[in-house]
Amino acid sequence: MRMKTTYIHGGISHDEATGSVNVPIHQTSTYKQEKVGVHKGYEYSRTGNPTRAALEMLIADMEGGVRGFAFASGSAGTHTIFSLFSKGDHIIVGDDVYGGTYRLMDKILKRLGLTFTIVDTSKIELVEKAIQKQTKAIFLETPTNPLLKITDIAAVAKIAKKHQLISIVDNTFATPYHQKPLELGASIVLHSASKYLGGHSDVVAGLVTTNDDKLAEELGFLQNAIGGILGPQDSWIIQRGIKTLAIRMDAHEANAKKIVQYLDKHPQVAKVYYPGLASHPGHEIAKKQTTGFGGMISFELVEGFSAKAFVEKLTLITLAESLGAVESLIEIPALMTHGSIPKEERLKSGIKDELIRLSVGIEDVEDLIEDLDMGFSHVQNQ
Ligand code: PLP
């Protein structure tokens, strides 16, 4: 089955019992047993639910995993992955990960005895240097949130294999439509499915998959033991979103490319971050490991122009956290999504206070550019 077909027919895409072309929403917490221990494969919905199972098989099919796991949020998925490790274990983490991932490490997992070294994983030589005796894993995003830095997944996976480490890739920004970390050698893939996979800003969800049988078994145990599972309604909505992932990603990218061209020559824009730009330091690696550059753009205004005034003036592009939806969303990472990272750490990784992150939607791009134009004219008059 080819990729676009998998999105529609992968996993369990229909109901054998009734012929329903969509998977039913099994709104149940438990399952009748014919005799003690004799059942149809489901005992209790934290452990397994047929609607969730269909989504879990789908993400495994999409990413080339052996098993998938659906969580109540991307963060719940991240927490479950980090629960593979024990007190004293050391993990190398990319320097530009989602603010909530940083907060999870800094405020909770450190307290439980895990140790972390933050590294710019786009500089591959720094990754191997950071390995210690207790290192167990490398966790990274590519492209990163919000600076869109690119890490060579195959190169990191090679280092990880050499040192028997688990390599974990947050593939939220690229989606499996553009990037397949497991095929590039990574051990585990994570998604905030609240973003492109769901695609409509209507569900918070997380998906995890792996192509390693042992890790799959451990993750399955942890998912059930910790219990941060996705409910059947939300599992169904994410499956519906995934059916249109391919056409949405093509539309996001086509719009993003036009907006990048517009921003790149705008006199009030100091810098544009987009891996599709030939001037982007990760451009060649992005070309090698992805089939598209996606719909996320970050940019900085020329000094003296207020990012806050700009985003607040926009009327069509919505000022909101989150990304990856049909509607365009804009935000200031330092004040919003990445506010939980101390300013000093943020600046060290290059996230300036005036940085703006734009998740380009699939509206008519001319309307989006008109809205940006209106925003720029407003800050000009400040
Ligand atoms: N990973 C990335 C790259 C994200 O952008 C986010 C949320 O913004 C998360 C993980 C966390 O996902 P969730 O908000 O679904 O918990």
Side-chain angles (χ1 to χ4, degrees):
M1 220 187 272
R2 290 171 184 79
M3 202 154 45
K4 289 180 183 173
T5 313
T6 301
Y7 298 166
I8 294 158
H9 297 285
I12 301 169
S13 61
H14 62 283
D15 181 37
E16 288 292 346
T18 61
S20 156
V21 297
N22 286 301
V23 172
I25 299 173
H26 291 272
Q27 193 67 53
T28 187
S29 62
T30 192
Y31 305 82
K32 182 175 172 191
Q33 305 200 0
E34 284 153 39
K35 293 187 180 144
V36 175
V38 180
H39 51 74
K40 297 184 165 63
Y42 294 96
E43 292 163 84
Y44 185 58
S45 276
R46 172 164 37 75
T47 319
N49 172 286
T51 316
R52 195 178 90 224
L55 172 63
E56 291 175 330
M57 284 187 202
L58 180 58
I59 190 63
D61 285 353
M62 288 165 73
E63 290 280 13
V66 288
R67 244 180 103 178
F69 306 93
F71 296 93
S73 66
S75 304
T78 313
H79 191 190
T80 302
I81 293 171
F82 278 128
S83 302
L84 289 165
F85 308 110
S86 307
K87 190 173 174 186
D89 287 349
H90 171 255
I91 298 158
I92 296 168
V93 179
D95 71 336
D96 184 33
V97 293
Y98 165 60
T101 303
Y102 179 89
R103 178 176 55 206
L104 176 64
M105 290 182 318
D106 193 48
K107 297 275 186 273
I108 299 162
L109 301 173
K110 270 189 188 168
R111 193 156 48 72
L112 300 179
L114 297 189
T115 64
F116 299 93
T117 300
I118 309 244
V119 167
D120 180 354
T121 55
S122 70
K123 300 196 173 96
I124 201 71
E125 66 285 0
L126 300 181
V127 176
E128 195 154 23
K129 266 196 201 144
I131 296 174
Q132 307 174 3
K133 223 168 126 221
Q134 297 304 323
T135 306
K136 292 287 175 349
I138 306 169
F139 180 103
L140 62 96
E141 282 176 24
T142 181
T144 59
N145 179 5
L147 289 171
L148 302 159
K149 287 194 212 168
I150 303 294
T151 291
D152 187 334
I153 298 175
V156 170
K158 204 169 150 200
I159 293 171
K161 286 206 172 113
K162 184 173 148 199
H163 295 270
Q164 285 155 17
L165 311 178
I166 297 170
S167 50
I168 305 153
V169 177
D170 183 331
N171 202 26
T172 299
F173 270 38
T175 82
Y177 184 59
H178 283 153
Q179 177 170 278
K180 299 265 195 68
L182 298 181
E183 286 179 3
L184 295 166
S187 332
I188 298 176
V189 172
L190 158 76
H191 285 276
S192 169
S194 330
K195 312 299 188 300
Y196 287 109
L197 299 186
H200 297 76
S201 298
D202 50 11
V203 183
V204 173
L207 291 173
V208 172
T209 183
T210 174
N211 56 7
D212 177 310
D213 289 320
K214 187 166 166 286
L215 283 175
E217 202 179 316
E218 287 179 51
L219 286 167
F221 169 80
L222 291 168
Q223 182 194 37
N224 182 45
I226 298 170
I229 46 116
L230 191 64
Q233 299 261 354
D234 288 347
S235 296
W236 188 91
I237 296 172
I238 296 290
Q239 281 172 82
R240 187 169 68 173
I242 288 172
K243 287 179 204 283
T244 56
L245 180 67
I247 52 168
R248 281 188 289 107
M249 290 311 291
D250 286 341
H252 283 296
E253 189 182 23
N255 276 359
K257 283 181 169 164
K258 288 190 181 141
I259 290 178
V260 164
Q261 277 174 8
Y262 162 82
L263 292 172
D264 206 30
K265 53 182 193 301
H266 199 285
Q268 284 163 261
V269 175
K271 186 163 180 183
V272 180
Y273 300 81
Y274 185 67
L277 278 171
S279 57
H280 186 288
H283 180 66
E284 290 306 320
I285 295 168
K287 259 185 7 195
K288 186 182 77 172
Q289 73 185 10
T290 68
T291 55
F293 303 114
M296 296 301 299
I297 305 168
S298 290
F299 58 102
E300 285 158 12
L301 300 189
V302 167
E303 212 174 313
F305 293 112
S306 156
K308 190 163 174 287
F310 174 74
V311 298
E312 285 176 354
K313 185 63 191 165
L314 303 175
T315 54
L316 181 65
I317 302 175
T318 307
L319 174 61
E321 301 201 359
S322 202
L323 60 105
V326 288
E327 70 280 346
S328 295
L329 301 172
I330 201 158
E331 64 122 8
I332 301 180
L335 302 179
M336 297 168 72
T337 47
H338 293 64
S340 53
I341 305 178
K343 184 164 179 167
E344 196 187 308
E345 285 295 328
R346 253 193 347 249
L347 290 175
K348 240 196 270 168
S349 11
I351 306 169
K352 297 185 186 156
D353 286 350
E354 295 292 305
L355 183 79
I356 297 169
R357 188 188 77 183
L358 173 61
S359 169
V360 179
I362 62 170
E363 301 95 334
D364 189 313
V365 72
E366 295 306 322
D367 288 324
L368 298 176
I369 290 175
E370 273 175 30
D371 201 33
L372 293 168
D373 254 344
M374 196 264 302
F376 283 123
S377 66
H378 177 80
V379 287
Q380 214 160 23
N381 295 334
Q382 288 277 301

